[in-house]
Amino acid sequence: MRSDLMKKGLERAPHRSLFKAMGYTDEELNRPLVGVVNSVNEIIPGHIHLKTIAEDVKAGIRMAGGTPVEFPAIGVCDGIAMGHIGMKYSLASREIIADSIEIMAMAHPFDGLVLIPNCDKIVPGMLMAALRLNIPSIFISGGPMMAGSLDGKTVDLITVFEGVGKVKAGALEAEELKSLEDSACPGCGSCSGMYTANSMNCVTEALGLGLPGNGTIPAVDAARRRLAKSAGVRIMDLIEKNILPRDIATISAFKNAIAVDMALGCSTNTVLHIPAIAREAGIIIDLDLFNQISASTPNLCRLSPAGHHHLEDLGAAGGVHAVMAEIAKLGVLADDVITATGKTLKENLAGVSVKNRDVIRSIEAPYNLEGGIAILRGNLAPDGAVVKQSAVAPNMMVNKGKARVFETEEEAIAPILSGAIKPGDIVVIRYEGPKGGPGMREMLAPTSAIAGMGLDTTVALLTDGRFSGGTRGAAIGHISPEAAEGGPIGLIREGDIISIDIPGKKLDLMVDAAELERRRQEWRPKAPSITTGYLARYASMVTSASTGAVFRSST
């Protein structure tokens, strides 16, 4: 056993003594030691209940003959960090999470890991760590929040964000917003729509590193606790059979996960995280692969913000595996891949079917013949840009408009809420990329303001930053190269005409090459907004969004 490095033999008597100081018995130390990585905290609703999930995991490990050893991981609540300096730290936390788990699992050689994430950057950070370490691992998320209810209508966090714009537009009273605030998030769990947290938990399940139900069983459902116990039991089998994360997360499994991403209409953040996770396994995923898989994978689900369904509805309709069973009919999945169940995907899908065709459409009647995400390229985004096309109004799929240019997210908010942004405008927010931000903030505040002001079907937003999974409308992010690296987005001037062609996968600045070259010669980088601490180091090390915003290799 790997843990023998710290517990077996005469020379390890001091080590065993330290274990015994914590109450471990000889019997416990003779069993496989399983690290339980728990991201519980009291600042994220998706994590507030993870002590219970961890106890259930540990119960499962003990039932199967192992000894659990719990240690923590940090986490940022994107919703609470949104719209202020805190959001600069969200994406940057992903690398810290991965690095800290690597440190803990290398300093203390566990025989396996059970990882308990739930929200935004914690899930990909933990996945990166698991593939980097490549010791037996399984994931069990805390599960999604239930949707809220107000006056007989289903509401969620995005309803509140968009409510701010509605108050500014005079379409909602402040007292109504307060009622919405009190009702939208009814309890623990990752926010109830197909936002980044739930997208990544579903991707984890599709990748094969989480058990069926990992992405959709509600946080408050007893089935979530039973699944946690099952994950504790399963890790012992993975350890015994030496089934490693890289045995599960192969290139075929990543392609499966991307296909599910497209069918579900997941967050555009998956386009950042999937390449970053794959890189830890030595697998390079080019952005064009997303378009290739999208072309053959229809969009079958429209969960909030693209539609009115929520994760609880997806779970009741059969969950991620029901979606996989449906798209498997098209031959777009590799069903011979091994999964954390110890079985192949084909075996896992046996007997699985869709239980509600209103939530998961058939391949014969999809919402769209293409998947939920599109990669755009053109002279404005030579290295790519990303849009959640399943959440874009039909009239905005092909569009030309006048650029309204802002150097930061904060600069854009007041003009949007004051009515200075008009139908047909294209809002450009730059210097918000991984390096320029630094930290590549999500733009949920401006996109929600645009939607709340009733402009989401007439105004597009472009940025080298990124968007929340809760964003809807013609919101195009991850524009690469970013402004801070001299990308064309830094050359846009107020009033320039921008052409958006989502079906054609094009994003162009309608300025001739000679003028762009003249502007490029005049361009000077904007001074960074943060020059000390972790974010300064992050800005010096981070790569483009087109490569997953990972750190530059030291070799």
Side-chain angles (χ1 to χ4, degrees):
M1 291 189 292
R2 188 171 180 266
S3 62
D4 287 351
L5 290 170
M6 60 180 171
K7 68 181 187 183
K8 287 289 186 181
L10 181 69
E11 297 82 359
R12 296 297 179 257
H15 303 63
R16 292 191 294 273
S17 181
L18 291 168
F19 273 105
K20 289 175 179 179
M22 295 179 280
Y24 291 94
T25 65
D26 286 329
E27 183 180 353
E28 286 176 302
L29 294 178
N30 285 332
R31 297 176 177 181
L33 298 186
V34 181
V36 177
V37 192
N38 190 2
S39 56
V40 64
N41 60 50
E42 295 182 352
I43 193 66
I44 308 178
H47 293 240
I48 194 73
H49 64 304
L50 294 188
K51 287 181 182 178
T52 300
I53 298 297
E55 289 304 317
D56 291 328
V57 165
K58 290 189 281 188
I61 292 170
R62 292 188 183 103
M63 282 191 291
T67 297
V69 182
E70 185 178 344
F71 64 90
I74 66 166
V76 171
C77 178
D78 276 25
I80 294 174
M82 194 72 66
H84 57 86
I85 192 172
M87 181 47 71
K88 292 178 180 285
Y89 289 85
S90 173
L91 180 60
S93 73
R94 186 187 70 180
E95 316 309 309
I96 293 286
I97 291 163
D99 290 351
S100 64
I101 295 170
E102 176 193 358
I103 289 168
M104 289 295 289
M106 293 303 294
H108 316 99
F110 298 109
D111 297 300
L113 295 174
V114 180
L115 301 107
I116 310 175
N118 212 26
C119 293
D120 294 56
K121 309 312 167 291
I122 300 97
V123 187
M126 287 187 171
L127 284 164
M128 289 167 68
L131 287 171
R132 185 185 303 173
L133 290 162
N134 202 35
I135 61 176
S137 300
I138 194 169
F139 284 71
I140 170 65
S141 78
M145 182 186 294
M146 301 294 283
S149 179
L150 180 63
D151 299 329
K153 295 180 180 179
T154 301
V155 293
D156 57 30
L157 179 65
I158 304 309
T159 320
V160 187
F161 269 102
E162 294 182 359
V164 175
K166 289 182 178 180
V167 171
K168 294 285 187 179
L172 193 72
E173 296 296 328
E175 293 79 9
E176 294 176 294
L177 180 62
K178 176 61 167 61
S179 296
L180 194 53
E181 170 190 329
D182 292 341
S183 306
C185 299
C188 65
S190 47
C191 297
S192 57
M194 190 52 79
Y195 316 141
T196 303
N198 291 323
S199 294
M200 288 308 303
N201 284 325
C202 289
V203 164
T204 302
E205 182 178 334
L207 192 57
L209 287 169
L211 297 176
N214 179 71
T216 57
I217 295 174
V220 296
D221 197 318
R224 173 61 54 180
R225 296 190 61 183
R226 295 195 295 270
L227 191 71
K229 291 176 183 177
S230 296
V233 171
R234 287 299 318 148
I235 189 61
M236 298 306 297
D237 187 58
L238 295 175
I239 291 169
E240 181 182 349
K241 295 177 179 175
N242 197 34
I243 297 176
L244 306 178
R246 294 185 196 174
D247 298 328
I248 295 171
T250 61
I251 181 60
S252 294
F254 275 105
K255 289 179 179 179
N256 287 349
I258 294 172
V260 171
D261 184 342
M262 294 300 167
L264 287 173
C266 289
S267 164
T268 52
N269 280 310
T270 59
V271 180
L272 274 179
H273 299 319
I274 289 174
I277 296 160
R279 180 175 177 266
E280 298 289 351
I283 297 169
I284 302 301
I285 292 182
D286 186 87
L287 290 186
D288 290 335
L289 181 61
F290 287 86
N291 276 349
Q292 292 168 19
I293 293 175
S294 177
S296 58
T297 309
N299 178 221
L300 303 182
C301 301
R302 289 281 169 93
L303 278 69
S304 178
H308 64 276
H309 296 128
H310 291 82
L311 264 291
E312 63 203 73
D313 303 312
L314 177 61
V320 172
H321 272 62
V323 173
M324 297 183 84
E326 188 66 20
I327 62 175
K329 298 173 184 176
L330 294 169
V332 299
L333 298 181
D335 62 7
D336 58 343
V337 294
I338 194 69
T339 71
T341 65
K343 301 176 182 178
T344 64
L345 177 61
K346 184 176 182 178
E347 291 173 308
N348 289 345
L349 294 180
V352 174
S353 61
V354 175
K355 299 175 182 178
N356 186 335
R357 286 295 183 189
D358 186 44
V359 179
I360 304 172
R361 288 194 174 185
S362 70
I363 56 173
E364 291 82 17
Y367 283 103
N368 196 327
L369 292 174
E370 288 191 355
I373 290 173
I375 308 299
L376 312 183
R377 295 185 188 270
N379 72 347
L380 184 47
D383 293 342
V386 183
V387 62
K388 188 171 183 175
Q389 61 180 348
S390 60
V392 178
N395 66 295
M396 295 294 285
M397 295 292 282
V398 178
N399 179 38
K400 286 184 181 179
K402 181 176 65 175
R404 303 296 307 277
V405 182
F406 303 95
E407 306 298 304
T408 66
E409 177 185 0
E410 288 84 355
E411 286 184 18
I413 296 295
I416 294 170
L417 293 177
S418 70
I421 301 301
K422 305 298 183 183
D425 286 348
I426 296 181
V427 175
V428 177
I429 303 177
R430 60 192 180 193
Y431 290 100
E432 291 285 6
K435 178 178 179 178
M440 201 179 184
R441 288 191 288 182
E442 287 185 347
M443 300 289 158
L444 183 56
T447 58
S448 294
I450 287 170
M453 295 290 287
L455 296 171
D456 54 299
T457 60
T458 58
V459 170
L461 192 154
L462 276 56
T463 183
D464 51 9
R466 60 193 178 90
F467 296 111
S468 163
T471 289
R472 62 185 173 94
I476 300 171
H478 307 198
I479 292 176
S480 302
E482 61 175 293
E485 293 280 16
I489 188 173
L491 307 180
I492 302 173
R493 293 187 178 175
E494 187 81 8
D496 283 349
I497 301 301
I498 294 171
S499 173
I500 300 168
D501 181 358
I502 295 174
K505 310 297 187 289
K506 296 287 290 180
L507 182 64
D508 288 302
L509 178 61
M510 307 304 286
V511 174
D512 67 57
E515 171 62 14
L516 282 179
E517 183 56 33
R518 187 183 67 78
R519 293 182 189 181
R520 186 172 285 109
Q521 295 302 317
E522 295 175 352
W523 176 83
R524 297 293 180 272
K526 180 185 170 187
S529 60
I530 295 177
T531 58
T532 59
Y534 174 57
L535 279 186
R537 298 198 304 276
Y538 179 85
S540 71
M541 300 168 67
V542 71
T543 63
S544 168
S546 64
T547 56
V550 296
F551 282 166
R552 290 183 174 85
S553 173
S554 59
T555 58

